């Protein structure tokens, strides 16, 4: 029998249907709440609000579990690649060999930007933030229709749009870095796989091709794969909200990039590095940083710590912590910031403030140290997060678009402003 929960308000009451997910998660369907009781729900930051049902990613924040399409993140981290995971997230199952080859082929075909993009890049100042460039350029992609796009079936159009976004976001990212350094753009090499091609576009010189080592390629694959989706976070919710107005997939993903930019979301990976550097240079000690975070001095928080959903170790942070040790060892890099990070983590995990609030390291705490070791400049960290998250945004956009129950996102509010009052002509105002 279908379960319900009874809600009574004054003389009105309503039986609210209880929706159960495949992992036993329960939610109240409040669709009829307002028409039956006159009430709406109030939940700033949506901490207790399910905005959709989804088949893409499962998180159990209490147990520290993360699965893409049911597959534990630890298994994917060990056995898979970013491109395979992208397919898994978007199409709901692991690809067979033909599907994966076809998708890789599409990524190669879609890697280049229209030459007119050069002028767009030139329009930015060299020190423009790469996330601003990325968001603008991802939106711009849709202004350059593919040859024959109008004849594509909806299925073909979607897969080409997806391949185009995943492939071009990497080219745009590399070009934005080259622009910031005043270096010539390096075009994608069709012979190179996804991650190696990115590193080639970032670091090759016209007469000196950059050859990334397998260790570096593996480390970057891991970082991208671990960032590929994370259910209804700020940027995924943005993709769904923008997409719900029937905006195109590029506009929706461009908006998600803007959402990711903030330091409480993807921008935290840069902020972590800056914090670790400040501690290392002696500006503040680790103990000072912990104290400032506890006291909230000038809004200071321990960056890379805490999560809305995880009240346990973020499983991605666990994987990255081990990977940081491995990658730095393989590359022979000695980074004092890794020691600072370890020290900070140890102190926080023993401090009652962090223990009581269940604040653990999140994905951003160790990812920056690995990116730094493989030569990614700090101002590109959040851009790397965006490249990794693109398949997740695409999957979320598609799921929302295909859901027959989806409606335009349009929350309500409780108005707390002035009551009705009259317009006062300017010369009669105090
Ligand atoms: N340092 C110090 N105190 C913290 C921190 C932190 N990093 N995070 C949370 N708190 C405290 C917060 O002050 C509050 O304390 P109290 O109950 O005394 O008011 C309590 O813990 C609960 O915090 P909240 O702000 O209500 O939690 P939230 O779910 O709204 O915020 C968060 C989650 C990730 C924005 C927050 O933990 C934070 O700002 N962390 C630092 C930024 C960061 O690392 N962001 C990356 C998140 S993971 C990557 C991603 O998905 O984007």
């Amino acid at each position: 029998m279908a379960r319900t929960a009874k809600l009574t308000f004054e003389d009105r009451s309503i039986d609210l249907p209880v929706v159960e997910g495949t992992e036993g998660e329960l939610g109240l369907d409040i669709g009829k709440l307002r028409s039956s009781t006159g009430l709406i729900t109030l939940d700033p930051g949506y901490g207790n609000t399910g905005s959709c049902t989804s088949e893409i990613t499962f998180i159990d924040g209490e147990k520290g579990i993360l699965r893409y399409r049911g597959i534990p993140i630890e298994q994917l981290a060990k056995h898979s690649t970013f491109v395979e995971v992208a397919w898994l997230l978007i199409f709901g199952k692991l690809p067979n060999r033909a599907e994966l080859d076809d998708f890789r082929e599409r990524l190669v075909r879609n890697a280049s930007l229209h030459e007119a993009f050069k002028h767009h890049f030139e329009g930015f100042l060299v020190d423009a933030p790469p996330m601003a460039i990325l968001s603008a350029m991802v939106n711009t992609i849709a202004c350059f229709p593919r040859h024959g796009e109008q004849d594509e079936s909806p299925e073909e159009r979607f897969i080409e749009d997806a391949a185009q976004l995943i492939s071009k976001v990497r080219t745009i990212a590399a070009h934005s870095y080259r622009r910031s350094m005043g270096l010539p753009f390096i075009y994608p090499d069709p012979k190179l796989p996804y991650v190696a091609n990115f590193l080639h576009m970032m670091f090759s010189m016209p007469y000196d091709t950059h050859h990334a080592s397998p260790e570096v390629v593996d480390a970057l694959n891991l970082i991208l794969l671990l960032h590929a989706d994370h259910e209804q976070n700020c940027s995924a919710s943005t993709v769904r909200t923008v997409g719900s107005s029937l905006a195109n997939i590029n506009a929706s993903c461009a908006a998600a990039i803007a959402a990711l930019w903030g330091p409480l979301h993807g921008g935290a990976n840069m902020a972590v590095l800056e914090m670790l550097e400040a501690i290392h240079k002696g500006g503040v000690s680790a103990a000072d940083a912990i104290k400032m975070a506890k006291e909230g001095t000038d809004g200071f928080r321990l960056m890379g710590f805490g999560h809305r959903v995880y009240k346990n170790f973020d499983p991605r942070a666990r994987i990255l912590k081990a990977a940081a040790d491995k990658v730095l060892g393989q590359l022979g890099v000695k980074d004092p910031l890794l020691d600072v990070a370890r020290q900070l983590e140890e102190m926080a995990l023993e401090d009652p403030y962090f223990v009581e609030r269940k604040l653990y390291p999140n994905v951003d705490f160790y990812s920056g140290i690995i990116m730094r070791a493989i030569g990614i400049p700090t101002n590109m960290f959040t851009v790397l997060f965006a490249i990794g998250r693109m398949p997740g945004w695409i999957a979320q956009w598609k799921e929302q678009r295909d859901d027959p129950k989806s409606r335009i996102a349009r929350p309500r509010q409780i108005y707390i402003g002035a009551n009705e009052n009259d317009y006062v002509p300017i010369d009669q105002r105090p």
Side-chain angles (χ1 to χ4, degrees), residues 193-209:
Y194 189 89
V195 167
N197 212 347
F198 171 68
L199 293 164
H200 159 65
M201 288 189 275
M202 284 281 288
F203 300 124
S204 282
M205 288 298 170
Y207 300 103
D208 182 14
T209 305

PDB file of all heavy atoms in Angstrom, residues 193-209:
ATOM      1  N   PRO A 193      44.497  10.978 -27.319  1.00  0.00           N
ATOM      2  CA  PRO A 193      43.287  10.785 -26.524  1.00  0.00           C
ATOM      3  C   PRO A 193      42.944  12.047 -25.722  1.00  0.00           C
ATOM      4  O   PRO A 193      43.738  12.998 -25.651  1.00  0.00           O
ATOM      5  CB  PRO A 193      43.618   9.617 -25.603  1.00  0.00           C
ATOM      6  CG  PRO A 193      45.046   9.320 -25.765  1.00  0.00           C
ATOM      7  CD  PRO A 193      45.609  10.133 -26.879  1.00  0.00           C
ATOM      8  N   TYR A 194      41.772  12.022 -25.098  1.00  0.00           N
ATOM      9  CA  TYR A 194      41.164  13.220 -24.511  1.00  0.00           C
ATOM     10  C   TYR A 194      42.112  14.019 -23.602  1.00  0.00           C
ATOM     11  O   TYR A 194      42.360  15.202 -23.823  1.00  0.00           O
ATOM     12  CB  TYR A 194      39.900  12.811 -23.735  1.00  0.00           C
ATOM     13  CG  TYR A 194      39.081  13.982 -23.276  1.00  0.00           C
ATOM     14  CD1 TYR A 194      38.097  14.521 -24.090  1.00  0.00           C
ATOM     15  CD2 TYR A 194      39.287  14.564 -22.029  1.00  0.00           C
ATOM     16  CE1 TYR A 194      37.351  15.613 -23.684  1.00  0.00           C
ATOM     17  CE2 TYR A 194      38.544  15.659 -21.613  1.00  0.00           C
ATOM     18  CZ  TYR A 194      37.579  16.168 -22.445  1.00  0.00           C
ATOM     19  OH  TYR A 194      36.846  17.257 -22.039  1.00  0.00           O
ATOM     20  N   VAL A 195      42.636  13.363 -22.577  1.00  0.00           N
ATOM     21  CA  VAL A 195      43.426  14.085 -21.563  1.00  0.00           C
ATOM     22  C   VAL A 195      44.777  14.522 -22.137  1.00  0.00           C
ATOM     23  O   VAL A 195      45.213  15.668 -21.933  1.00  0.00           O
ATOM     24  CB  VAL A 195      43.602  13.210 -20.294  1.00  0.00           C
ATOM     25  CG1 VAL A 195      44.658  13.793 -19.382  1.00  0.00           C
ATOM     26  CG2 VAL A 195      42.278  13.099 -19.555  1.00  0.00           C
ATOM     27  N   ALA A 196      45.411  13.633 -22.886  1.00  0.00           N
ATOM     28  CA  ALA A 196      46.721  13.974 -23.473  1.00  0.00           C
ATOM     29  C   ALA A 196      46.570  15.140 -24.446  1.00  0.00           C
ATOM     30  O   ALA A 196      47.449  16.015 -24.537  1.00  0.00           O
ATOM     31  CB  ALA A 196      47.305  12.756 -24.184  1.00  0.00           C
ATOM     32  N   ASN A 197      45.442  15.172 -25.136  1.00  0.00           N
ATOM     33  CA  ASN A 197      45.194  16.256 -26.093  1.00  0.00           C
ATOM     34  C   ASN A 197      45.050  17.595 -25.356  1.00  0.00           C
ATOM     35  O   ASN A 197      45.541  18.628 -25.809  1.00  0.00           O
ATOM     36  CB  ASN A 197      43.916  15.949 -26.869  1.00  0.00           C
ATOM     37  CG  ASN A 197      43.965  16.495 -28.287  1.00  0.00           C
ATOM     38  OD1 ASN A 197      44.831  17.290 -28.632  1.00  0.00           O
ATOM     39  ND2 ASN A 197      43.022  16.062 -29.099  1.00  0.00           N
ATOM     40  N   PHE A 198      44.409  17.558 -24.220  1.00  0.00           N
ATOM     41  CA  PHE A 198      44.270  18.782 -23.419  1.00  0.00           C
ATOM     42  C   PHE A 198      45.647  19.291 -22.996  1.00  0.00           C
ATOM     43  O   PHE A 198      45.971  20.474 -23.141  1.00  0.00           O
ATOM     44  CB  PHE A 198      43.388  18.507 -22.191  1.00  0.00           C
ATOM     45  CG  PHE A 198      43.373  19.649 -21.211  1.00  0.00           C
ATOM     46  CD1 PHE A 198      42.787  20.861 -21.533  1.00  0.00           C
ATOM     47  CD2 PHE A 198      43.971  19.519 -19.958  1.00  0.00           C
ATOM     48  CE1 PHE A 198      42.791  21.928 -20.640  1.00  0.00           C
ATOM     49  CE2 PHE A 198      43.971  20.580 -19.051  1.00  0.00           C
ATOM     50  CZ  PHE A 198      43.382  21.782 -19.400  1.00  0.00           C
ATOM     51  N   LEU A 199      46.466  18.380 -22.500  1.00  0.00           N
ATOM     52  CA  LEU A 199      47.798  18.782 -22.030  1.00  0.00           C
ATOM     53  C   LEU A 199      48.649  19.294 -23.195  1.00  0.00           C
ATOM     54  O   LEU A 199      49.418  20.243 -23.044  1.00  0.00           O
ATOM     55  CB  LEU A 199      48.477  17.612 -21.312  1.00  0.00           C
ATOM     56  CG  LEU A 199      47.782  17.220 -19.991  1.00  0.00           C
ATOM     57  CD1 LEU A 199      48.222  15.839 -19.529  1.00  0.00           C
ATOM     58  CD2 LEU A 199      48.048  18.266 -18.894  1.00  0.00           C
ATOM     59  N   HIS A 200      48.458  18.695 -24.368  1.00  0.00           N
ATOM     60  CA  HIS A 200      49.149  19.154 -25.581  1.00  0.00           C
ATOM     61  C   HIS A 200      48.727  20.599 -25.894  1.00  0.00           C
ATOM     62  O   HIS A 200      49.573  21.472 -26.128  1.00  0.00           O
ATOM     63  CB  HIS A 200      48.783  18.199 -26.724  1.00  0.00           C
ATOM     64  CG  HIS A 200      48.973  18.743 -28.091  1.00  0.00           C
ATOM     65  ND1 HIS A 200      50.205  19.074 -28.605  1.00  0.00           N
ATOM     66  CD2 HIS A 200      48.066  19.029 -29.091  1.00  0.00           C
ATOM     67  CE1 HIS A 200      50.062  19.528 -29.849  1.00  0.00           C
ATOM     68  NE2 HIS A 200      48.777  19.527 -30.156  1.00  0.00           N
ATOM     69  N   MET A 201      47.417  20.859 -25.858  1.00  0.00           N
ATOM     70  CA  MET A 201      46.939  22.217 -26.193  1.00  0.00           C
ATOM     71  C   MET A 201      47.361  23.244 -25.134  1.00  0.00           C
ATOM     72  O   MET A 201      47.533  24.413 -25.415  1.00  0.00           O
ATOM     73  CB  MET A 201      45.415  22.223 -26.352  1.00  0.00           C
ATOM     74  CG  MET A 201      44.946  21.542 -27.617  1.00  0.00           C
ATOM     75  SD  MET A 201      43.187  21.808 -27.891  1.00  0.00           S
ATOM     76  CE  MET A 201      42.455  20.504 -26.924  1.00  0.00           C
ATOM     77  N   MET A 202      47.528  22.778 -23.911  1.00  0.00           N
ATOM     78  CA  MET A 202      47.968  23.679 -22.833  1.00  0.00           C
ATOM     79  C   MET A 202      49.457  24.009 -22.957  1.00  0.00           C
ATOM     80  O   MET A 202      49.867  25.152 -22.824  1.00  0.00           O
ATOM     81  CB  MET A 202      47.771  23.006 -21.464  1.00  0.00           C
ATOM     82  CG  MET A 202      46.355  22.944 -20.949  1.00  0.00           C
ATOM     83  SD  MET A 202      45.792  24.492 -20.247  1.00  0.00           S
ATOM     84  CE  MET A 202      46.698  24.609 -18.711  1.00  0.00           C
ATOM     85  N   PHE A 203      50.273  22.965 -23.185  1.00  0.00           N
ATOM     86  CA  PHE A 203      51.704  23.138 -22.936  1.00  0.00           C
ATOM     87  C   PHE A 203      52.633  23.004 -24.151  1.00  0.00           C
ATOM     88  O   PHE A 203      53.832  23.264 -24.020  1.00  0.00           O
ATOM     89  CB  PHE A 203      52.153  22.146 -21.845  1.00  0.00           C
ATOM     90  CG  PHE A 203      51.430  22.342 -20.540  1.00  0.00           C
ATOM     91  CD1 PHE A 203      50.729  21.303 -19.943  1.00  0.00           C
ATOM     92  CD2 PHE A 203      51.425  23.579 -19.920  1.00  0.00           C
ATOM     93  CE1 PHE A 203      50.050  21.483 -18.733  1.00  0.00           C
ATOM     94  CE2 PHE A 203      50.748  23.777 -18.723  1.00  0.00           C
ATOM     95  CZ  PHE A 203      50.066  22.736 -18.135  1.00  0.00           C
ATOM     96  N   SER A 204      52.118  22.562 -25.305  1.00  0.00           N
ATOM     97  CA  SER A 204      53.023  22.463 -26.462  1.00  0.00           C
ATOM     98  C   SER A 204      53.415  23.845 -26.953  1.00  0.00           C
ATOM     99  O   SER A 204      52.687  24.821 -26.735  1.00  0.00           O
ATOM    100  CB  SER A 204      52.329  21.705 -27.612  1.00  0.00           C
ATOM    101  OG  SER A 204      52.343  20.326 -27.350  1.00  0.00           O
ATOM    102  N   MET A 205      54.561  23.890 -27.625  1.00  0.00           N
ATOM    103  CA  MET A 205      54.982  25.118 -28.291  1.00  0.00           C
ATOM    104  C   MET A 205      54.981  24.820 -29.792  1.00  0.00           C
ATOM    105  O   MET A 205      55.064  23.660 -30.196  1.00  0.00           O
ATOM    106  CB  MET A 205      56.391  25.511 -27.822  1.00  0.00           C
ATOM    107  CG  MET A 205      56.414  26.026 -26.399  1.00  0.00           C
ATOM    108  SD  MET A 205      55.407  27.507 -26.272  1.00  0.00           S
ATOM    109  CE  MET A 205      55.362  27.728 -24.514  1.00  0.00           C
ATOM    110  N   PRO A 206      54.911  25.857 -30.623  1.00  0.00           N
ATOM    111  CA  PRO A 206      54.819  25.590 -32.063  1.00  0.00           C
ATOM    112  C   PRO A 206      55.879  24.612 -32.570  1.00  0.00           C
ATOM    113  O   PRO A 206      55.611  23.796 -33.434  1.00  0.00           O
ATOM    114  CB  PRO A 206      54.962  26.979 -32.676  1.00  0.00           C
ATOM    115  CG  PRO A 206      54.449  27.916 -31.627  1.00  0.00           C
ATOM    116  CD  PRO A 206      54.809  27.294 -30.318  1.00  0.00           C
ATOM    117  N   TYR A 207      57.106  24.682 -32.031  1.00  0.00           N
ATOM    118  CA  TYR A 207      58.146  23.769 -32.531  1.00  0.00           C
ATOM    119  C   TYR A 207      58.626  22.801 -31.453  1.00  0.00           C
ATOM    120  O   TYR A 207      59.704  22.253 -31.540  1.00  0.00           O
ATOM    121  CB  TYR A 207      59.332  24.587 -33.089  1.00  0.00           C
ATOM    122  CG  TYR A 207      58.899  25.479 -34.204  1.00  0.00           C
ATOM    123  CD1 TYR A 207      58.727  26.843 -33.997  1.00  0.00           C
ATOM    124  CD2 TYR A 207      58.593  24.946 -35.459  1.00  0.00           C
ATOM    125  CE1 TYR A 207      58.276  27.662 -35.017  1.00  0.00           C
ATOM    126  CE2 TYR A 207      58.132  25.762 -36.484  1.00  0.00           C
ATOM    127  CZ  TYR A 207      57.984  27.115 -36.264  1.00  0.00           C
ATOM    128  OH  TYR A 207      57.533  27.912 -37.272  1.00  0.00           O
ATOM    129  N   ASP A 208      57.825  22.620 -30.439  1.00  0.00           N
ATOM    130  CA  ASP A 208      58.216  21.718 -29.353  1.00  0.00           C
ATOM    131  C   ASP A 208      56.954  21.085 -28.762  1.00  0.00           C
ATOM    132  O   ASP A 208      56.302  21.661 -27.893  1.00  0.00           O
ATOM    133  CB  ASP A 208      58.981  22.525 -28.285  1.00  0.00           C
ATOM    134  CG  ASP A 208      59.464  21.645 -27.140  1.00  0.00           C
ATOM    135  OD1 ASP A 208      59.443  20.404 -27.320  1.00  0.00           O
ATOM    136  OD2 ASP A 208      59.840  22.192 -26.093  1.00  0.00           O
ATOM    137  N   THR A 209      56.616  19.908 -29.277  1.00  0.00           N
ATOM    138  CA  THR A 209      55.384  19.257 -28.839  1.00  0.00           C
ATOM    139  C   THR A 209      55.551  18.712 -27.428  1.00  0.00           C
ATOM    140  O   THR A 209      56.559  18.063 -27.117  1.00  0.00           O
ATOM    141  CB  THR A 209      55.031  18.102 -29.803  1.00  0.00           C
ATOM    142  OG1 THR A 209      54.972  18.656 -31.110  1.00  0.00           O
ATOM    143  CG2 THR A 209      53.696  17.481 -29.457  1.00  0.00           C
TER     144      THR A 209
END
